[in-house]
């Protein structure tokens, strides 16, 4: 018995020790797992967290100017001053050597991703100084246009120049797009991006000061060897507000313009200045928060308003349709048409009306064929009803707008009772299908920092890649045509985007 007692007594302390060790190990493991989990989550307190996605222009600009801009210092071969006559020829030889090498080495050349973009390092008065000017004055809401719209809000709506540039010049480790890479030697580039903030300068500088800055920017860019080589055909100008850069546009008509639309009436762009072949339509920056699939599902029972519109009913040019629609739809059951502006109060009212309460959102032409309202509707999950016969849409080579919008002619829309009856003819399954497509498509219209795959910045470069071969064709041709030959080779078999025009051919053809 004594022997047995002596044999079993050591087991009790060892069991306690083993249990204590297991408990200590489990606790330590939990601490380690929690630490790893916490470190993997984005830190709200750290404004420099690269994983955080910012969609507010004002907030993104603040972070960019305060935290990113001081660290940007990359050397390239931008010419600071006038180039000599030999520079374009030397550049052309270097381009030829690169393209010839790629042609023989890469079986898919010259079509493919990523496109290579050279970003000019322009003097700060064209870039950072203008961003700081906006940042330091954006709270001055009394600064308004002749029709009462806050100019800083207009600048935000047309801030595509900021979103594209901020992504291009970010360190590669922070960028998420695979469709475009920044190069630092001009002979390696497919495109040349001109980071001049034409809209900020138009709205926030004195008139004569703005014109002088436009002329300076024009001279600076056209002195670059790459411009002289291609006559600007591979240069990208963000001219997203229809009033911006207007005084010198005729000197850069060969360049690629980033536009909000392509007005064919001649009110905003001169004949021959813009074309779908040369230029690119980009969406406005939305003024409301995105409504994703979860938001759409939750808001569906509350969307009892058939058709919603809030905005200015009296506009010029193509926007005259608004007054007619307002008169036709006023007082109709389940239709809400109200006058409003783009200020903070208008933003809140539009957010509630579009994002929470309405099935369809009326999107008529404004002073130009396009309107920011279209993109507000798309990201809000409110089915756009497009009434704009001359409208050209962003990324239409990639996106099918018939899946997300009801598109009607102006002549039909103003007929008594026609539009409301047309919208009421859609059965619930059709409405749900539209909403499902909106939830999927809305990501294509939300600008952000860092830029997201399949966001508008990404689709911009995917569309731009499709223009590349044609640009190279016209550049090569311009370098070899002899004096006295036709300087322009074009096909003007162009048809107006109008369902109401009696003559399908453009008057410009004459």
């Amino acid at each position: 018995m004594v022997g047995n007692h002596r044999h079993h007594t050591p087991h009790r302390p060892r069991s306690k020790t083993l249990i204590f060790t297991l408990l200590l190990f489990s606790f330590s493991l939990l601490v380690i797992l929690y630490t790893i989990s916490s470190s993997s989550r984005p830190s709200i307190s750290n404004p420099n967290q690269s994983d955080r996605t910012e969609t507010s222009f004002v907030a993104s600009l603040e972070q960019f100017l305060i935290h990113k801009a001081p660290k940007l210092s990359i050397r390239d071969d931008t010419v600071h001053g006038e180039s000599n006559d030999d520079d374009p020829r030397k550049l052309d030889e270097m381009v030829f050597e690169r393209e010839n090498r790629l042609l023989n080495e890469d079986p898919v050349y010259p079509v493919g991703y990523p496109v290579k973009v050279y970003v000019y390092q322009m003097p700060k008065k064209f870039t950072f100084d203008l961003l700081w000017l906006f940042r330091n004055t954006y709270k001055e809401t009394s600064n308004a246009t002749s029709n009462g719209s806050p100019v800083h809000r207009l600048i935000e709506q047309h801030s595509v120049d900021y979103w594209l540039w901020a992504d291009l010049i970010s360190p590669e480790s922070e960028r998420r797009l695979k469709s475009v890479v920044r190069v630092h030697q001009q002979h390696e580039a497919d495109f040349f991006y001109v980071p001049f903030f034409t809209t900020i300068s138009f709205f926030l500088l004195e008139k004569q000061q703005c014109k002088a800055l436009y002329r300076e920017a024009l001279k600076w860019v056209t002195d670059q060897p790459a411009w002289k080589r291609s006559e600007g055909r591979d240069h990208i100008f963000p001219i997203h507000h229809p009033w911006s850069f207007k005084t010198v546009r005729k000197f850069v008509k060969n360049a690629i313009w980033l536009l909000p639309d392509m007005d064919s009436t001649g009110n905003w762009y001169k004949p021959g200045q813009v074309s779908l072949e040369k230029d690119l339509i980009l969406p406005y920056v939305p003024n409301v928060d995105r409504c994703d699939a979860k938001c759409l599902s939750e808001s569906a029972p509350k969307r009892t308003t058939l058709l919603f519109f809030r905005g200015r009913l009296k506009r010029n040019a193509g926007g005259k349709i608004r007054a007619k629609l307002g008169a036709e739809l006023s007082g109709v059951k389940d239709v809400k048409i109200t006058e409003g502006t783009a200020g903070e109060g208008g933003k809140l009212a539009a957010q509630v009306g579009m994002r929470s309460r309405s099935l369809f959102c009326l999107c008529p032409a404004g002073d130009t064929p396009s309107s920011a309202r279209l993109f507000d509707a798309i990201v809000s999950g409110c089915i756009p009803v497009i009434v704009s016969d001359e409208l050209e849409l962003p990324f239409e080579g990639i996106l099918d707008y018939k899946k997300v919008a009801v598109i009607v002619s102006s002549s039909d829309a103003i007929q008594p009772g026609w539009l409301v009856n047309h919208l009421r003819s859609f059965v619930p399954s059709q409405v749900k299908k539209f909403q499902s497509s909106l939830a999927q498509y809305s990501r294509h219209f939300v600008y952000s920092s860092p830029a997201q795959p399949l966001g508008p910045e990404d689709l911009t470069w995917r569309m731009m890649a499709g223009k590349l071969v044609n640009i190279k064709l016209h550049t090569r041709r311009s370098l070899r045509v002899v004096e006295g030959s036709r300087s322009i080779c074009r096909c003007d078999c162009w048809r107006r985007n109008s369902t109401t025009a009696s003559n399908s051919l453009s008057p410009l053809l004459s």
Side-chain angles (χ1 to χ4, degrees):
M1 291 292 296
V2 173
N4 288 340
H5 179 73
R6 286 177 181 173
H7 177 73
H8 288 290
T9 51
H11 282 264
R12 278 193 220 128
R14 281 206 301 271
S15 297
K16 289 181 179 179
T17 303
L18 180 60
I19 292 171
F20 177 79
T21 303
L22 288 172
L23 288 172
L24 183 62
F25 174 77
S26 300
F27 178 77
S28 301
L29 182 60
L30 286 172
V31 171
I32 292 171
L33 289 173
Y34 177 80
T35 303
I36 293 173
S37 175
S38 299
S39 64
S40 67
R41 292 195 299 266
S43 173
I44 297 175
S45 62
N46 183 4
N48 295 320
Q49 186 76 24
S50 61
D51 287 340
R52 180 180 177 182
T53 301
E54 183 59 73
T55 58
S56 163
F57 172 64
V58 173
S60 177
L61 180 60
E62 183 80 8
Q63 292 297 319
F64 176 81
L65 291 174
I66 302 300
H67 299 286
K68 279 190 176 182
K71 303 174 185 177
L72 296 173
S73 57
I74 296 179
R75 296 176 64 91
D76 61 18
D77 59 352
T78 296
V79 175
H80 298 281
E82 293 188 24
S83 61
N84 59 54
D85 293 337
D86 290 335
D87 289 341
R89 286 193 288 268
K90 291 178 181 178
L91 176 61
D92 188 57
E93 286 300 318
M94 296 172 72
V95 170
F96 170 76
E97 290 177 8
R98 167 185 169 259
E99 293 185 346
N100 194 53
R101 182 178 69 255
L102 290 173
L103 182 64
N104 287 284
E105 293 176 357
D106 189 346
V108 299
Y109 181 83
V111 178
Y113 300 116
V115 294
K116 299 174 178 62
V117 178
Y118 183 93
V119 182
Y120 281 123
Q121 292 198 41
M122 299 184 75
K124 291 184 177 180
K125 61 183 173 182
F126 303 119
T127 56
F128 290 103
D129 288 355
L130 292 172
L131 292 177
W132 276 107
L133 177 62
F134 177 91
R135 185 258 185 189
N136 293 334
T137 61
Y138 78 88
K139 292 183 179 179
E140 298 177 7
T141 54
S142 60
N143 190 357
T145 64
S146 58
N147 64 16
S149 300
V151 296
H152 290 82
R153 181 61 207 133
L154 284 175
I155 292 170
E156 288 184 66
Q157 288 181 343
H158 295 278
S159 61
V160 302
D161 43 12
Y162 164 76
W163 296 105
L164 289 171
W165 186 57
D167 174 67
L168 285 171
I169 65 176
S170 293
E172 281 301 316
S173 60
E174 298 178 12
R175 297 185 68 251
R176 301 181 183 181
L177 302 190
K178 304 299 182 185
S179 56
V180 58
V181 294
R182 180 186 179 186
V183 297
H184 305 290
Q185 302 295 317
Q186 294 192 16
H187 72 274
E188 296 178 350
D190 296 320
F191 297 99
F192 295 81
Y193 186 83
V194 181
F196 176 37
F197 293 94
T198 60
T199 301
I200 294 179
S201 50
F202 176 82
F203 280 114
L204 299 185
L205 297 179
E206 294 294 332
K207 186 174 182 180
Q208 294 306 317
Q209 186 184 6
C210 175
K211 287 184 176 181
L213 195 65
Y214 281 176
R215 290 192 296 269
E216 286 186 62
L218 175 68
K219 185 178 188 310
W220 192 94
V221 172
T222 55
D223 278 340
Q224 295 297 316
W227 179 277
K228 294 179 179 179
R229 172 183 173 269
S230 69
E231 297 178 340
R233 290 180 176 86
D234 49 9
H235 283 55
I236 300 170
F237 273 89
I239 310 178
H240 201 260
H241 193 280
W243 294 343
S244 61
F245 219 50
K246 199 168 185 178
T247 55
V248 295
R249 285 177 186 169
K250 62 182 179 181
F251 301 107
V252 295
K253 63 182 181 180
N254 286 337
I256 303 162
W257 295 4
L258 304 182
L259 302 167
D261 55 46
M262 204 158 291
D263 176 33
S264 62
T265 65
N267 293 315
W268 305 104
Y269 309 108
K270 300 296 182 184
Q273 284 186 345
V274 296
S275 69
L276 285 176
E277 178 190 46
K278 175 179 74 71
D279 304 311
L280 197 63
I281 309 296
L282 264 62
Y284 291 68
V285 177
N287 193 32
V288 296
D289 298 330
R290 182 188 177 197
C291 188
D292 56 16
K294 182 175 182 292
C295 166
L296 266 168
S297 176
E298 293 173 349
S299 65
K302 305 173 187 176
R303 293 181 181 265
T304 56
T305 299
L306 175 69
L307 181 63
F308 176 85
F309 174 87
R310 179 183 172 84
R312 292 191 173 275
L313 291 171
K314 293 183 180 180
R315 305 298 278 183
N316 298 316
K320 293 178 181 179
I321 186 70
R322 290 192 182 189
K324 296 178 181 179
L325 288 169
E328 164 61 24
L329 297 169
S330 179
V332 176
K333 183 183 177 182
D334 298 330
V335 175
K336 187 172 183 179
I337 306 291
T338 57
E339 186 83 18
T341 63
E344 285 302 315
K347 176 179 179 178
L348 180 60
Q351 174 112 333
V352 173
M354 288 184 163
R355 198 169 179 267
S356 306
R357 298 179 180 173
S358 306
L359 282 178
F360 296 92
C361 283
L362 185 63
C363 301
D367 288 343
T368 66
S370 65
S371 168
R373 184 170 292 95
L374 168 61
F375 309 104
D376 289 347
I378 290 174
V379 302
S380 297
C382 187
I383 304 165
V385 180
I386 299 175
V387 187
S388 180
D389 298 340
E390 301 294 335
L391 180 63
E392 298 294 348
L393 295 162
F395 316 134
E396 202 164 7
I398 299 173
L399 306 179
D400 184 357
Y401 284 84
K402 297 192 303 297
K403 305 297 184 185
V404 297
V406 176
I407 304 171
V408 300
S409 70
S410 298
S411 61
D412 284 339
I414 60 176
Q415 295 300 315
W418 186 92
L419 184 58
V420 170
N421 290 334
H422 181 60
L423 297 180
R424 284 178 176 151
S425 71
F426 288 98
V427 298
S429 61
Q430 290 175 302
V431 170
K432 190 172 181 179
K433 193 171 182 180
F434 272 125
Q435 291 175 333
S436 177
S437 296
L438 283 171
Q440 179 185 357
Y441 268 44
S442 59
R443 66 187 295 190
H444 304 317
F445 302 95
V446 179
Y447 295 88
S448 63
S449 179
Q452 300 296 303
L454 297 182
E457 301 93 339
D458 189 19
L459 296 194
T460 295
W461 299 114
R462 291 171 184 255
M463 290 289 292
M464 204 69 74
K467 296 180 180 292
L468 188 54
V469 174
N470 200 47
I471 289 170
K472 291 180 183 294
L473 182 155
H474 285 288
T475 298
R476 287 294 181 197
R477 184 178 179 280
S478 69
L479 291 170
R480 61 90 178 157
V481 292
V482 297
E483 187 175 354
S485 68
R486 287 183 300 160
S487 60
I488 299 176
C489 180
R490 60 187 300 173
C491 175
D492 273 330
C493 46
W494 178 69
R495 188 161 62 92
R496 291 178 66 194
N497 176 26
S498 174
T499 58
T500 60
S502 57
N503 184 357
S504 62
L505 295 179
S506 167
L508 298 179
L509 295 182
S510 59

